[in-house]
Amino acid sequence: MEEAKQERKKRILSGIQPTGVFTLGNYIGAIRNWKQMQEDYDCAYFIADLHALTVRQDPAELRKRTREAFALLLACGIDPEKSLVFIQSHVRAHAELNWILCCNALFGDLGRMTQFKDKSAKHADNINAGLFTYPVLMAGDILLYQADYVPVGADQKQHLEYTRDIAERFNRIYGEVFKIPDAYIPKAGARVMSLADPTKKMSKSDENPNGFISILDEPNVIMNKFKRAVTDSETEVVYREGKDGVNNLMTIYSVMTGQSFDEIEQEFRGHGYGDFKKAVGGAVADELQPIRDEFKRLAGEKAYLDGLFARGAETAERISQRTLTKVKKKVGLILP
Ligand code: ATP
Ligand code: LTN
């Protein structure tokens, strides 16, 4: 987020939780686009460690994963010379704005969020207040940076609509403070499905490792997971309603190769699923190879990463304080 470019370029902001090694779903639905957007937008990307606390975490493990997630972003091509990259909890304004927004967030609206319903069913022993107000913290993340676009997968669409609603309500009550952001959801790959159950979203917290490709999986592991991917009892590689497994593989292959579904159908006409799965696995393994190599290299660069944490925090602090100061004035808090 270079100051000089702020007038010309639209702002992008997005975050990812440090809840595990990123999956091919995170990569295709979000990070791959984040990388491409760096050229044309003023981008800010962060590790949402405060959001990760909504689910019980082992403290040492969370610290390790947060570091790892930051390095993974860099390995995926997020360039700290082009984009602002930071850790959410390093920037105080996120937690502060969260409180003020929470006092303007309605219980009924939050109870309707599908992610809250899904996660409370999954973690029935820990339905905490943070899980409930998760979308408010997320809205604050976005609004602090006055983002124009928020690139996310389809599962976050409802949270983006919520962000717009709470921003509009706040602006109506207190006067214009927040820019109203738009979700940026990719046309292809917004919802990559599990390889083990193509009716379910691919998720890094899935207990079955055959359901997801981790972006650090070795090529032979990737090939094996694709070989085992659930499809159907037909043999034709075509994109059609009801062929969830094949549709998912075609989507992945299309994003990896840039080919349309028609072109893919032609390429595999007369071949069985076996050849097709091999081709998808190969294309994914090739795309992920440089990421794995770069991640291994970064693992030895502790001081470099620490330096980036500090630099990112400082810039994010400066940008976020501008909005937070306006908000505090509007709601009637005395500035220190
Ligand atoms: P968890 O399993 O811990 O809930 P997650 O894999 O859903 O995590 P998040 O950190 O919640 O990952 O999401 C990071 C980004 O990746 C978000 O923009 C989200 O929309 C996107 N994303 C997550 N899963 C997929 C998927 N299967 N397909 C496409 N995009 C996805
Ligand atoms: N909830 C998001 C992570 C996230 C985020 C954000 C994404 C937290 N704050 C702000 C975009 C903008 C998720 O992917 N589960």
Side-chain angles (χ1 to χ4, degrees):
M1 275 212 179
E2 287 170 45
E3 302 288 313
K5 291 186 188 155
Q6 279 180 22
E7 265 136 54
R8 285 186 288 116
K9 292 187 175 178
K10 296 265 189 195
R11 285 194 184 175
I12 298 284
L13 176 124
S14 202
I16 185 160
Q17 300 185 76
T19 41
V21 175
F22 305 160
T23 67
L24 186 64
N26 299 134
Y27 180 71
I28 290 180
I31 302 164
R32 197 170 185 273
N33 306 311
W34 300 1
K35 179 186 173 196
Q36 285 160 1
M37 292 174 126
Q38 293 182 114
E39 309 306 327
D40 301 317
Y41 298 92
D42 184 12
C43 299
Y45 302 119
F46 66 95
I47 306 302
D49 55 348
L50 296 175
H51 276 100
L53 293 176
T54 57
V55 169
R56 185 82 64 229
Q57 302 286 344
D58 173 72
E61 189 71 12
L62 179 61
R63 251 188 303 273
K64 185 176 138 258
R65 284 181 167 170
T66 301
R67 227 169 215 293
E68 174 186 271
F70 195 100
L72 278 172
L73 278 191
L74 304 188
C76 286
I78 303 302
D79 180 351
E81 301 305 322
K82 292 183 186 157
S83 301
L84 166 60
V85 195
F86 64 97
I87 295 174
Q88 186 185 30
S89 67
H90 289 181
V91 187
R92 292 170 294 174
H94 292 253
E96 276 191 68
L97 180 59
N98 177 51
W99 176 254
I100 297 173
L101 289 181
C102 270
C103 297
N104 290 276
L106 301 183
F107 192 88
D109 290 344
L110 293 174
R112 278 190 286 277
M113 297 288 133
T114 52
Q115 183 178 295
F116 172 67
K117 292 185 208 163
D118 293 349
K119 295 232 166 171
S120 1
K122 211 167 148 194
H123 305 277
D125 56 340
N126 183 24
I127 307 177
N128 61 75
L131 193 63
F132 189 64
T133 60
Y134 179 116
V136 184
L137 179 63
M138 177 163 164
D141 296 338
I142 298 166
L143 300 175
L144 275 175
Y145 298 84
Q146 307 285 356
D148 294 282
Y149 302 112
V150 184
V152 284
D155 61 315
Q156 295 300 315
K157 187 166 179 264
Q158 197 184 26
H159 289 165
L160 257 297
E161 282 161 5
Y162 180 74
T163 301
R164 292 169 61 90
D165 289 347
I166 195 163
E168 276 164 3
R169 191 141 47 100
F170 192 97
N171 285 350
R172 219 171 25 244
I173 299 172
Y174 300 101
E176 290 291 314
V177 182
F178 297 129
K179 170 149 228 153
I180 309 300
D182 281 309
Y184 175 94
I185 297 173
K187 279 190 199 76
R191 195 173 162 80
V192 175
M193 309 309 280
S194 157
L195 299 184
D197 176 357
T199 60
K200 258 179 41 190
K201 169 186 110 118
M202 183 181 284
S203 171
K204 49 177 138 67
S205 48
D206 192 339
E207 57 281 353
N208 178 4
N210 286 325
F212 60 84
I213 302 287
S214 139
I215 62 170
L216 296 179
D217 277 344
E218 297 287 338
N220 64 320
V221 175
I222 296 177
M223 292 306 279
N224 278 330
K225 286 185 181 176
F226 276 108
K227 250 185 237 164
R228 273 192 235 144
V230 171
T231 47
D232 51 52
S233 54
E234 299 177 1
T235 53
E236 249 186 315
V237 178
V238 285
Y239 194 99
R240 198 193 310 129
E241 173 122 24
K243 289 174 76 74
D244 295 333
V246 171
N247 294 350
N248 190 37
L249 296 180
M250 285 181 74
T251 302
I252 294 171
Y253 194 62
S254 164
V255 173
M256 293 293 114
T257 62
Q259 284 177 263
S260 67
F261 291 153
D262 278 352
E263 287 166 339
I264 298 171
E265 286 174 12
Q266 269 174 34
E267 184 183 344
F268 293 97
R269 188 157 295 150
H271 295 256
Y273 288 164
D275 283 351
F276 176 50
K277 286 174 166 182
K278 240 186 261 168
V280 183
V284 169
D286 285 351
E287 171 127 357
L288 298 183
Q289 179 74 47
I291 296 177
R292 211 173 40 252
D293 292 346
E294 179 61 3
F295 179 76
K296 278 186 198 149
R297 194 189 68 75
L298 284 166
E301 301 275 346
K302 186 173 178 303
Y304 171 67
L305 288 178
D306 286 341
L308 290 181
F309 293 173
R311 205 173 93 192
E314 195 187 322
T315 308
E317 173 78 19
R318 185 159 36 80
I319 298 172
S320 58
Q321 281 299 331
R322 278 186 221 144
T323 305
L324 186 64
T325 301
K326 280 189 206 158
V327 169
K328 284 182 171 173
K329 281 190 196 158
K330 291 282 188 197
V331 300
L333 301 177
I334 296 177
L335 295 176

